[in-house]
Amino acid sequence: MSWSSRKRGPGTDPDRSAHRVSDRGTLSTADEELLRTLYAEHAGPLFHYVLRLTSGDWQWAEDVVQETLLRAWQHPAAFDPARGPARAWLCTVARHLVIDAHRARQAGPAEVGGEALERAAEQAPGEDEIEQALQSWAVADAIRTLTPDHRAILLETYYRGRTMAEAARVLGIPLGTVKSRTYYALHALRLALQERGIEP
């Protein structure tokens, strides 16, 4: 049973973690179980995803995962199955935390002169560049999860721009196989992207 589908007691506000802590400052048994389940199901894959976003910075990745899981615990309504896969929400939150931290690190200089701000704006990458870089890493990560046959077919048909017939010749497989592999490769890639919080 997923952690989001477990019952909460009446009167529990699902988006207010403070109400779920006892007077002694400890978690209720049910919430402790929810937090353990959340960690067990998602911490490992989420850490590996975030580690790529943080360019291998383990400490930063651990902090991002911890903050992401804390936010998930504070907002269990986000895990309603009608809203999509839980991991997609987690990856989206983690990606936004990395972007926010990167922006904070690139904050302008202490002096607030017009010339200093112009220099800082020229040197710091724009928001779109940061988002694009993070999204590129997420797409590359998603592609790595595909089978070798699916990666090969997407490489030929999308990245090298070959027609289905040309891809069949290059790969040495029948045209019908190219068509079916392309279909299933795109389907698998779409699912992998959704798990990482990217809507294709």
Side-chain angles (χ1 to χ4, degrees), residues 57-150:
D57 185 332
W58 280 67
Q59 184 62 48
W60 186 13
E62 287 175 351
D63 290 346
V64 169
V65 169
Q66 183 178 11
E67 180 63 24
T68 301
L69 294 176
L70 177 64
R71 290 186 185 192
W73 176 68
Q74 292 171 332
H75 304 284
F79 289 86
D80 181 358
R83 295 179 71 174
R87 193 159 298 156
W89 186 87
L90 290 169
C91 288
T92 300
V93 169
R95 191 171 76 242
H96 287 285
L97 288 170
V98 170
I99 291 169
D100 291 346
H102 183 74
R103 288 178 185 157
R105 289 179 180 183
Q106 299 294 324
E111 70 266 8
V112 188
E115 190 176 326
L117 290 176
E118 287 177 24
R119 279 196 314 268
E122 290 171 5
Q123 293 172 353
E127 294 176 14
D128 291 339
E129 293 172 7
I130 295 167
E131 179 68 28
Q132 187 176 15
L134 290 172
Q135 194 165 17
S136 294
W137 290 336
V139 170
D141 182 49
I143 289 173
R144 279 193 287 275
T145 66
L146 300 178
T147 66
D149 287 341
H150 286 167

Coordinates of all heavy atoms in Angstrom, one line a residue, residues 57-150:
D57 N 27.7 16.6 -6.2 CA 27.9 17.2 -4.9 C 27.0 16.4 -3.9 O 25.8 16.6 -3.8 CB 27.6 18.7 -4.8 CG 27.8 19.3 -3.5 OD1 27.8 18.6 -2.5 OD2 28.1 20.5 -3.5
W58 N 27.6 15.4 -3.2 CA 26.9 14.5 -2.3 C 26.1 15.3 -1.2 O 25.0 15.0 -0.9 CB 27.8 13.5 -1.7 CG 28.1 12.3 -2.6 CD1 28.8 12.4 -3.8 CD2 27.7 11.0 -2.5 NE1 28.9 11.2 -4.4 CE2 28.2 10.3 -3.7 CE3 26.9 10.3 -1.6 CZ2 28.0 9.0 -3.8 CZ3 26.7 9.0 -1.8 CH2 27.2 8.3 -2.9
Q59 N 26.8 16.2 -0.6 CA 26.2 16.9 0.6 C 25.0 17.7 0.1 O 23.9 17.7 0.7 CB 27.2 17.8 1.2 CG 26.7 18.5 2.5 CD 26.3 17.5 3.6 OE1 27.0 16.6 3.9 NE2 25.1 17.7 4.1
W60 N 25.2 18.4 -1.0 CA 24.1 19.2 -1.5 C 22.9 18.3 -1.9 O 21.8 18.6 -1.7 CB 24.6 20.0 -2.7 CG 23.6 21.0 -3.3 CD1 22.4 21.4 -2.8 CD2 23.7 21.7 -4.5 NE1 21.8 22.3 -3.6 CE2 22.6 22.5 -4.7 CE3 24.7 21.7 -5.6 CZ2 22.4 23.3 -5.8 CZ3 24.5 22.5 -6.7 CH2 23.3 23.3 -6.8
A61 N 23.2 17.1 -2.6 CA 22.2 16.2 -3.0 C 21.4 15.7 -1.8 O 20.2 15.5 -1.8 CB 22.8 15.1 -3.8
E62 N 22.2 15.3 -0.7 CA 21.5 14.8 0.5 C 20.6 15.9 1.1 O 19.5 15.6 1.5 CB 22.6 14.4 1.5 CG 23.3 13.1 1.1 CD 24.4 12.8 2.1 OE1 24.8 13.6 3.0 OE2 24.9 11.7 2.0
D63 N 21.1 17.1 1.1 CA 20.2 18.2 1.6 C 19.0 18.4 0.8 O 17.9 18.6 1.3 CB 21.0 19.5 1.6 CG 22.1 19.5 2.7 OD1 22.1 18.7 3.6 OD2 23.0 20.4 2.6
V64 N 19.1 18.3 -0.5 CA 17.9 18.5 -1.4 C 16.9 17.3 -1.2 O 15.7 17.5 -1.1 CB 18.4 18.6 -2.9 CG1 17.2 18.5 -3.8 CG2 19.1 19.8 -3.1
V65 N 17.5 16.1 -1.1 CA 16.6 14.9 -0.9 C 15.9 15.1 0.4 O 14.6 14.8 0.5 CB 17.4 13.6 -1.0 CG1 16.5 12.4 -0.5 CG2 17.8 13.4 -2.4
Q66 N 16.6 15.4 1.5 CA 16.0 15.6 2.8 C 14.9 16.7 2.7 O 13.8 16.5 3.3 CB 17.0 16.0 3.8 CG 16.5 16.1 5.2 CD 17.5 16.4 6.2 OE1 18.7 16.8 5.9 NE2 17.2 16.3 7.5
E67 N 15.1 17.8 2.1 CA 14.1 18.9 2.0 C 12.9 18.4 1.2 O 11.8 18.7 1.5 CB 14.8 20.1 1.4 CG 13.8 21.3 1.3 CD 13.2 21.8 2.6 OE1 13.8 21.6 3.7 OE2 12.1 22.4 2.6
T68 N 13.2 17.7 0.1 CA 12.1 17.2 -0.8 C 11.2 16.2 0.0 O 10.0 16.4 -0.1 CB 12.7 16.5 -2.0 OG1 13.5 17.4 -2.7 CG2 11.6 16.0 -2.9
L69 N 11.8 15.3 0.8 CA 11.0 14.4 1.5 C 10.2 15.1 2.7 O 9.1 14.7 3.0 CB 11.9 13.2 2.1 CG 12.5 12.3 1.0 CD1 13.4 11.3 1.6 CD2 11.4 11.7 0.1
L70 N 10.8 16.1 3.2 CA 10.1 16.9 4.3 C 8.9 17.5 3.7 O 7.8 17.5 4.2 CB 11.1 17.9 4.9 CG 10.4 18.8 5.9 CD1 10.0 18.0 7.1 CD2 11.4 19.9 6.3
R71 N 9.1 18.1 2.5 CA 8.0 18.8 1.8 C 6.9 17.8 1.5 O 5.7 18.1 1.5 CB 8.4 19.6 0.6 CG 9.2 20.8 1.0 CD 9.6 21.6 -0.2 NE 10.4 22.7 0.3 CZ 10.7 23.8 -0.5 NH1 10.3 23.9 -1.7 NH2 11.5 24.7 0.0
A72 N 7.3 16.6 1.1 CA 6.3 15.5 0.7 C 5.5 15.2 2.0 O 4.3 15.0 1.9 CB 7.0 14.3 0.2
W73 N 6.2 15.1 3.1 CA 5.5 14.7 4.4 C 4.6 15.9 4.8 O 3.5 15.6 5.2 CB 6.6 14.5 5.5 CG 6.0 14.2 6.8 CD1 5.2 13.2 7.2 CD2 6.0 15.1 7.9 NE1 4.8 13.3 8.5 CE2 5.3 14.5 9.0 CE3 6.6 16.3 8.2 CZ2 5.2 15.0 10.2 CZ3 6.5 16.9 9.4 CH2 5.8 16.2 10.5
Q74 N 5.0 17.1 4.5 CA 4.1 18.2 4.8 C 2.9 18.4 3.9 O 1.9 19.0 4.3 CB 4.9 19.5 4.8 CG 6.0 19.6 5.9 CD 6.9 20.8 5.7 OE1 7.1 21.3 4.6 NE2 7.4 21.3 6.8
H75 N 3.0 17.8 2.7 CA 2.0 18.0 1.7 C 1.6 16.7 1.1 O 1.7 16.4 -0.1 CB 2.4 18.9 0.6 CG 2.9 20.3 1.0 ND1 2.0 21.2 1.4 CD2 4.1 20.8 1.2 CE1 2.7 22.3 1.8 NE2 4.0 22.1 1.7
P76 N 1.0 15.8 1.9 CA 0.7 14.4 1.4 C -0.5 14.5 0.3 O -0.6 13.6 -0.5 CB 0.2 13.7 2.6 CG -0.2 14.7 3.6 CD 0.7 15.9 3.3
A77 N -1.2 15.6 0.2 CA -2.2 15.7 -0.8 C -1.6 15.7 -2.2 O -2.3 15.3 -3.2 CB -3.0 17.0 -0.6
A78 N -0.4 16.0 -2.3 CA 0.3 16.0 -3.6 C 0.4 14.6 -4.2 O 0.7 14.4 -5.3 CB 1.7 16.7 -3.5
F79 N 0.2 13.6 -3.3 CA 0.4 12.2 -3.8 C -0.9 11.5 -4.1 O -1.0 10.3 -4.1 CB 1.2 11.4 -2.7 CG 2.6 11.9 -2.6 CD1 3.0 12.9 -1.8 CD2 3.6 11.2 -3.4 CE1 4.3 13.4 -1.8 CE2 4.9 11.7 -3.3 CZ 5.2 12.7 -2.5
D80 N -1.9 12.3 -4.3 CA -3.2 11.7 -4.8 C -2.9 11.0 -6.1 O -2.4 11.7 -7.1 CB -4.2 12.9 -5.0 CG -5.6 12.4 -5.4 OD1 -5.7 11.1 -5.6 OD2 -6.5 13.2 -5.5
P81 N -3.3 9.8 -6.3 CA -3.0 9.0 -7.5 C -3.6 9.7 -8.8 O -3.0 9.6 -9.9 CB -3.7 7.7 -7.3 CG -3.7 7.5 -5.8 CD -3.9 8.9 -5.3
A82 N -4.6 10.5 -8.6 CA -5.2 11.2 -9.7 C -4.3 12.3 -10.3 O -4.4 12.7 -11.4 CB -6.5 11.8 -9.3
R83 N -3.3 12.7 -9.5 CA -2.4 13.8 -9.9 C -1.2 13.2 -10.6 O -0.3 14.0 -11.0 CB -1.9 14.6 -8.7 CG -3.1 15.3 -8.0 CD -2.7 16.1 -6.9 NE -1.9 17.3 -7.3 CZ -1.5 18.2 -6.5 NH1 -1.8 18.2 -5.2 NH2 -0.8 19.2 -6.9
G84 N -1.0 11.9 -10.7 CA 0.1 11.3 -11.4 C 1.0 10.6 -10.4 O 0.8 10.5 -9.2
P85 N 2.2 10.1 -11.0 CA 3.1 9.3 -10.2 C 3.7 10.2 -9.1 O 4.0 11.4 -9.3 CB 4.2 8.9 -11.2 CG 3.7 9.2 -12.5 CD 2.6 10.2 -12.4
A86 N 3.9 9.6 -7.9 CA 4.5 10.3 -6.8 C 5.9 10.8 -7.1 O 6.3 11.9 -6.7 CB 4.5 9.4 -5.5
R87 N 6.7 9.9 -7.7 CA 8.0 10.2 -8.0 C 8.2 11.5 -8.9 O 9.1 12.2 -8.8 CB 8.8 9.1 -8.6 CG 10.3 9.3 -8.5 CD 11.1 8.1 -8.6 NE 10.9 7.2 -7.5 CZ 11.1 5.9 -7.5 NH1 11.6 5.3 -8.6 NH2 10.9 5.1 -6.5
A88 N 7.2 11.7 -9.8 CA 7.3 12.8 -10.7 C 7.2 14.1 -9.8 O 7.9 15.1 -10.1 CB 6.1 12.8 -11.7
W89 N 6.3 14.1 -8.8 CA 6.1 15.3 -8.0 C 7.4 15.5 -7.2 O 7.9 16.6 -7.1 CB 5.0 15.1 -7.0 CG 4.7 16.3 -6.2 CD1 3.9 17.3 -6.5 CD2 5.2 16.6 -4.8 NE1 3.8 18.3 -5.5 CE2 4.6 17.8 -4.4 CE3 6.0 15.9 -4.0 CZ2 4.9 18.4 -3.2 CZ3 6.3 16.5 -2.7 CH2 5.7 17.7 -2.4
L90 N 8.0 14.4 -6.7 CA 9.2 14.5 -5.9 C 10.4 15.1 -6.8 O 11.1 15.9 -6.3 CB 9.6 13.2 -5.3 CG 8.8 12.6 -4.2 CD1 9.1 11.1 -3.9 CD2 8.9 13.4 -3.0
C91 N 10.5 14.6 -8.0 CA 11.6 15.0 -8.9 C 11.4 16.5 -9.2 O 12.3 17.3 -9.3 CB 11.6 14.2 -10.1 SG 12.3 12.5 -9.9
T92 N 10.1 16.9 -9.4 CA 9.9 18.3 -9.7 C 10.3 19.2 -8.6 O 10.9 20.2 -8.7 CB 8.4 18.5 -10.1 OG1 8.0 17.7 -11.2 CG2 8.1 20.0 -10.4
V93 N 9.9 18.8 -7.3 CA 10.2 19.6 -6.2 C 11.8 19.6 -6.0 O 12.3 20.7 -5.8 CB 9.6 19.0 -4.9 CG1 10.2 19.6 -3.6 CG2 8.1 19.2 -4.9
A94 N 12.4 18.5 -6.2 CA 13.9 18.5 -6.1 C 14.5 19.4 -7.1 O 15.5 20.1 -6.8 CB 14.4 17.0 -6.2
R95 N 14.1 19.3 -8.3 CA 14.6 20.1 -9.4 C 14.5 21.6 -9.1 O 15.4 22.4 -9.2 CB 14.0 19.8 -10.8 CG 14.7 20.4 -11.9 CD 14.3 19.9 -13.3 NE 13.0 20.6 -13.6 CZ 11.9 19.9 -13.8 NH1 11.8 18.6 -13.7 NH2 10.8 20.6 -14.1
H96 N 13.3 22.0 -8.6 CA 13.1 23.4 -8.2 C 14.0 23.8 -7.0 O 14.5 24.9 -7.0 CB 11.6 23.7 -7.9 CG 10.8 23.7 -9.1 ND1 10.7 24.7 -10.0 CD2 9.9 22.7 -9.6 CE1 9.9 24.4 -10.9 NE2 9.4 23.2 -10.7
L97 N 14.2 22.9 -6.1 CA 15.1 23.2 -5.0 C 16.6 23.5 -5.5 O 17.3 24.4 -5.0 CB 15.1 22.1 -3.9 CG 13.9 22.0 -3.1 CD1 13.9 20.7 -2.3 CD2 13.7 23.2 -2.2
V98 N 17.0 22.6 -6.4 CA 18.4 22.8 -7.0 C 18.4 24.1 -7.8 O 19.4 24.9 -7.6 CB 18.7 21.6 -7.9 CG1 20.0 21.9 -8.7 CG2 18.9 20.3 -7.1
I99 N 17.4 24.4 -8.5 CA 17.4 25.7 -9.3 C 17.5 26.9 -8.3 O 18.2 27.8 -8.5 CB 16.2 25.8 -10.2 CG1 16.3 24.8 -11.3 CG2 16.0 27.2 -10.7 CD1 15.0 24.6 -12.1
D100 N 16.6 26.8 -7.3 CA 16.6 27.9 -6.3 C 18.0 28.1 -5.6 O 18.4 29.2 -5.4 CB 15.5 27.7 -5.2 CG 14.1 27.8 -5.8 OD1 14.0 28.3 -6.9 OD2 13.2 27.4 -5.1
A101 N 18.6 27.0 -5.2 CA 19.9 27.0 -4.6 C 21.0 27.6 -5.6 O 21.8 28.4 -5.2 CB 20.3 25.7 -4.1
H102 N 20.9 27.2 -6.8 CA 21.8 27.7 -7.8 C 21.6 29.2 -8.0 O 22.6 29.9 -8.0 CB 21.6 27.0 -9.1 CG 22.6 27.4 -10.2 ND1 24.0 27.0 -10.1 CD2 22.5 28.2 -11.3 CE1 24.6 27.6 -11.2 NE2 23.7 28.3 -11.8
R103 N 20.4 29.6 -8.0 CA 20.2 31.1 -8.2 C 20.7 31.8 -7.0 O 21.2 32.9 -7.1 CB 18.7 31.3 -8.4 CG 18.2 30.9 -9.7 CD 16.7 31.1 -9.8 NE 16.2 30.6 -11.1 CZ 15.0 30.3 -11.3 NH1 14.0 30.4 -10.4 NH2 14.6 29.8 -12.5
A104 N 20.5 31.3 -5.8 CA 21.0 31.9 -4.6 C 22.5 32.0 -4.6 O 23.0 33.1 -4.2 CB 20.5 31.2 -3.3
R105 N 23.2 31.0 -5.1 CA 24.6 31.1 -5.2 C 25.1 32.1 -6.2 O 26.2 32.6 -6.1 CB 25.2 29.7 -5.6 CG 25.0 28.7 -4.5 CD 25.6 27.3 -4.9 NE 25.4 26.4 -3.8 CZ 25.9 25.1 -3.9 NH1 26.5 24.7 -4.9 NH2 25.7 24.3 -2.8
Q106 N 24.3 32.4 -7.2 CA 24.6 33.3 -8.2 C 24.1 34.7 -7.9 O 24.1 35.6 -8.8 CB 24.0 32.9 -9.6 CG 24.5 31.5 -10.1 CD 26.0 31.5 -10.4 OE1 26.5 32.5 -10.9 NE2 26.7 30.4 -10.1
A107 N 23.7 34.9 -6.7 CA 23.1 36.2 -6.3 C 24.1 37.4 -6.6 O 25.3 37.2 -6.6 CB 22.8 36.2 -4.8
G108 N 23.6 38.5 -6.8 CA 24.4 39.7 -7.2 C 25.3 40.1 -6.0 O 25.2 39.7 -4.9
P109 N 26.3 41.0 -6.4 CA 27.3 41.4 -5.4 C 26.6 42.3 -4.3 O 25.5 42.8 -4.5 CB 28.3 42.2 -6.2 CG 27.5 42.7 -7.4 CD 26.4 41.6 -7.7
A110 N 27.4 42.5 -3.2 CA 26.9 43.3 -2.1 C 26.6 44.7 -2.5 O 25.7 45.3 -2.0 CB 27.9 43.2 -0.9
E111 N 27.6 45.3 -3.3 CA 27.3 46.7 -3.7 C 26.2 46.8 -4.7 O 26.1 45.9 -5.5 CB 28.6 47.4 -4.2 CG 29.1 46.8 -5.5 CD 30.1 45.7 -5.4 OE1 30.4 45.2 -4.3 OE2 30.6 45.3 -6.5
V112 N 25.4 47.8 -4.6 CA 24.2 47.8 -5.5 C 24.3 49.0 -6.4 O 23.4 49.8 -6.5 CB 22.9 47.9 -4.6 CG1 21.7 47.8 -5.5 CG2 22.9 46.8 -3.5
G113 N 25.4 49.2 -7.1 CA 25.5 50.2 -8.1 C 25.0 49.7 -9.4 O 25.0 48.5 -9.7
G114 N 24.6 50.6 -10.3 CA 24.0 50.2 -11.6 C 25.1 49.4 -12.4 O 24.8 48.4 -13.0
E115 N 26.3 49.9 -12.4 CA 27.3 49.2 -13.2 C 27.6 47.8 -12.6 O 27.8 46.9 -13.4 CB 28.6 50.1 -13.1 CG 29.7 49.7 -14.1 CD 30.9 50.6 -14.1 OE1 30.7 51.8 -13.9 OE2 32.0 50.1 -14.2
A116 N 27.7 47.7 -11.3 CA 28.0 46.4 -10.7 C 26.9 45.4 -11.0 O 27.1 44.2 -11.3 CB 28.1 46.5 -9.2
L117 N 25.6 45.8 -11.0 CA 24.5 44.9 -11.4 C 24.5 44.5 -12.8 O 24.2 43.4 -13.2 CB 23.2 45.6 -11.0 CG 22.8 45.8 -9.5 CD1 21.5 46.5 -9.4 CD2 22.8 44.4 -8.9
E118 N 24.9 45.4 -13.7 CA 25.0 45.1 -15.1 C 26.1 44.0 -15.3 O 25.9 43.1 -16.1 CB 25.3 46.3 -15.9 CG 24.1 47.2 -16.1 CD 24.5 48.5 -16.9 OE1 25.4 48.5 -17.6 OE2 23.8 49.5 -16.7
R119 N 27.2 44.2 -14.7 CA 28.3 43.2 -14.8 C 27.9 41.8 -14.3 O 28.1 40.8 -14.9 CB 29.5 43.6 -14.0 CG 30.4 44.6 -14.7 CD 31.8 44.7 -14.1 NE 31.7 44.8 -12.6 CZ 31.7 46.0 -11.9 NH1 31.7 47.1 -12.5 NH2 31.7 46.0 -10.6
A120 N 27.1 41.8 -13.1 CA 26.7 40.5 -12.6 C 25.7 39.9 -13.5 O 25.7 38.7 -13.7 CB 26.0 40.8 -11.2
A121 N 24.8 40.7 -14.1 CA 23.8 40.1 -15.1 C 24.5 39.5 -16.3 O 24.0 38.5 -16.8 CB 22.8 41.2 -15.5
E122 N 25.6 40.1 -16.7 CA 26.3 39.6 -17.9 C 27.0 38.3 -17.6 O 27.1 37.4 -18.4 CB 27.3 40.6 -18.4 CG 26.6 41.8 -19.1 CD 27.6 42.9 -19.4 OE1 28.8 42.7 -19.2 OE2 27.2 44.0 -19.8
Q123 N 27.5 38.1 -16.3 CA 28.3 37.0 -16.0 C 27.4 35.8 -15.5 O 27.8 34.7 -15.8 CB 29.2 37.3 -14.8 CG 30.3 38.3 -15.2 CD 31.1 38.8 -14.0 OE1 30.7 38.5 -12.9 NE2 32.1 39.6 -14.3
A124 N 26.3 36.0 -14.9 CA 25.5 34.9 -14.4 C 24.6 34.4 -15.5 O 24.0 35.1 -16.3 CB 24.6 35.4 -13.2
P125 N 24.5 33.0 -15.5 CA 23.6 32.5 -16.5 C 22.2 32.8 -16.3 O 21.8 33.0 -15.1 CB 23.8 31.0 -16.4 CG 24.4 30.8 -15.1 CD 25.1 32.0 -14.7
G126 N 21.4 33.0 -17.3 CA 20.0 33.3 -17.1 C 19.2 32.2 -16.6 O 19.6 31.0 -16.6
E127 N 18.0 32.5 -16.1 CA 17.1 31.4 -15.6 C 16.8 30.4 -16.6 O 16.7 29.2 -16.3 CB 15.8 32.1 -15.1 CG 16.0 33.0 -13.9 CD 14.7 33.7 -13.5 OE1 13.6 33.2 -13.9 OE2 14.7 34.6 -12.7
D128 N 16.6 30.8 -17.8 CA 16.2 29.8 -18.9 C 17.4 28.9 -19.1 O 17.2 27.7 -19.4 CB 15.9 30.5 -20.2 CG 14.5 31.3 -20.1 OD1 13.8 30.9 -19.2 OD2 14.3 32.2 -20.9
E129 N 18.6 29.4 -19.1 CA 19.8 28.5 -19.3 C 19.9 27.5 -18.2 O 20.2 26.3 -18.5 CB 21.1 29.4 -19.4 CG 21.1 30.3 -20.6 CD 22.3 31.2 -20.5 OE1 23.2 31.1 -19.6 OE2 22.4 32.1 -21.4
I130 N 19.7 27.9 -17.0 CA 19.8 27.0 -15.8 C 18.7 25.9 -16.0 O 19.0 24.7 -15.9 CB 19.6 27.7 -14.5 CG1 20.8 28.7 -14.3 CG2 19.5 26.7 -13.3 CD1 20.5 29.7 -13.2
E131 N 17.5 26.3 -16.2 CA 16.4 25.3 -16.4 C 16.6 24.4 -17.6 O 16.4 23.2 -17.5 CB 15.0 26.1 -16.6 CG 13.8 25.2 -16.8 CD 13.5 24.4 -15.6 OE1 13.7 24.9 -14.5 OE2 12.9 23.3 -15.8
Q132 N 17.1 25.0 -18.7 CA 17.4 24.1 -19.8 C 18.5 23.1 -19.5 O 18.4 22.0 -20.0 CB 17.8 25.0 -21.0 CG 18.0 24.3 -22.3 CD 18.3 25.2 -23.5 OE1 18.7 26.4 -23.3 NE2 18.2 24.7 -24.7
A133 N 19.6 23.5 -18.8 CA 20.7 22.6 -18.5 C 20.1 21.5 -17.6 O 20.5 20.3 -17.8 CB 21.8 23.4 -17.8
L134 N 19.3 21.8 -16.6 CA 18.8 20.8 -15.7 C 17.9 19.9 -16.4 O 17.9 18.7 -16.2 CB 18.1 21.5 -14.5 CG 19.0 22.2 -13.5 CD1 18.2 22.9 -12.5 CD2 19.9 21.2 -12.8
Q135 N 17.1 20.4 -17.3 CA 16.2 19.6 -18.1 C 17.0 18.7 -19.0 O 16.6 17.5 -19.2 CB 15.2 20.4 -18.9 CG 14.0 19.6 -19.4 CD 12.9 20.5 -19.8 OE1 13.0 21.7 -20.0 NE2 11.7 19.9 -20.0
S136 N 18.0 19.2 -19.6 CA 18.9 18.3 -20.5 C 19.5 17.2 -19.7 O 19.5 16.0 -20.2 CB 20.0 19.2 -21.1 OG 19.5 20.1 -22.0
W137 N 19.9 17.4 -18.5 CA 20.4 16.4 -17.6 C 19.4 15.3 -17.3 O 19.6 14.1 -17.3 CB 21.0 16.9 -16.3 CG 22.3 17.7 -16.5 CD1 23.2 17.6 -17.5 CD2 22.8 18.7 -15.7 NE1 24.2 18.5 -17.4 CE2 24.0 19.2 -16.2 CE3 22.3 19.2 -14.5 CZ2 24.7 20.2 -15.6 CZ3 23.1 20.2 -13.9 CH2 24.3 20.7 -14.4
A138 N 18.2 15.8 -17.0 CA 17.1 14.9 -16.7 C 16.7 14.0 -17.9 O 16.5 12.8 -17.8 CB 15.9 15.7 -16.2
V139 N 16.7 14.6 -19.1 CA 16.4 13.9 -20.3 C 17.5 12.8 -20.6 O 17.2 11.7 -20.9 CB 16.2 14.8 -21.6 CG1 16.2 14.0 -22.9 CG2 15.0 15.7 -21.4
A140 N 18.8 13.2 -20.4 CA 19.9 12.3 -20.6 C 19.8 11.1 -19.6 O 20.0 10.0 -20.0 CB 21.2 13.0 -20.5
D141 N 19.4 11.5 -18.4 CA 19.2 10.4 -17.4 C 18.1 9.5 -17.8 O 18.2 8.3 -17.6 CB 18.9 11.1 -16.0 CG 18.7 10.1 -14.9 OD1 19.6 9.2 -14.8 OD2 17.8 10.2 -14.2
A142 N 17.0 10.0 -18.3 CA 15.8 9.2 -18.7 C 16.2 8.3 -19.9 O 15.9 7.1 -19.9 CB 14.7 10.1 -19.1
I143 N 17.0 8.8 -20.8 CA 17.4 8.0 -22.0 C 18.3 6.9 -21.5 O 18.2 5.8 -22.1 CB 18.1 8.9 -23.0 CG1 17.1 9.8 -23.7 CG2 18.9 8.1 -24.1 CD1 17.7 10.9 -24.6
R144 N 19.1 7.1 -20.5 CA 20.0 6.0 -20.0 C 19.2 4.8 -19.4 O 19.7 3.7 -19.3 CB 21.0 6.6 -19.0 CG 22.2 7.2 -19.5 CD 23.2 7.5 -18.4 NE 22.9 8.5 -17.5 CZ 23.1 9.8 -17.7 NH1 23.7 10.2 -18.8 NH2 22.7 10.7 -16.8
T145 N 18.0 5.1 -19.1 CA 17.2 4.0 -18.5 C 16.6 3.1 -19.6 O 16.0 2.0 -19.3 CB 16.0 4.5 -17.6 OG1 15.1 5.3 -18.5 CG2 16.5 5.4 -16.5
L146 N 16.6 3.5 -20.9 CA 16.1 2.7 -22.0 C 16.9 1.6 -22.3 O 18.1 1.6 -22.0 CB 15.9 3.6 -23.2 CG 15.0 4.9 -23.1 CD1 15.0 5.6 -24.4 CD2 13.6 4.5 -22.7
T147 N 16.4 0.6 -22.9 CA 17.2 -0.6 -23.4 C 18.1 -0.1 -24.5 O 17.8 0.9 -25.2 CB 16.3 -1.7 -23.9 OG1 15.6 -1.3 -25.1 CG2 15.2 -2.1 -22.9
P148 N 19.2 -0.9 -24.7 CA 20.1 -0.5 -25.8 C 19.4 -0.5 -27.2 O 19.7 0.4 -28.0 CB 21.1 -1.6 -25.8 CG 21.1 -2.1 -24.4 CD 19.7 -2.0 -23.9
D149 N 18.4 -1.4 -27.5 CA 17.7 -1.3 -28.7 C 16.9 0.0 -28.9 O 16.8 0.6 -29.9 CB 16.8 -2.5 -28.9 CG 17.5 -3.8 -29.1 OD1 18.7 -3.7 -29.6 OD2 17.0 -4.9 -28.9
H150 N 16.2 0.3 -27.8 CA 15.4 1.6 -27.8 C 16.3 2.8 -28.0 O 15.9 3.7 -28.7 CB 14.5 1.7 -26.5 CG 13.4 0.7 -26.5 ND1 12.6 0.5 -25.4 CD2 12.9 0.0 -27.5 CE1 11.7 -0.4 -25.7 NE2 11.8 -0.7 -27.0

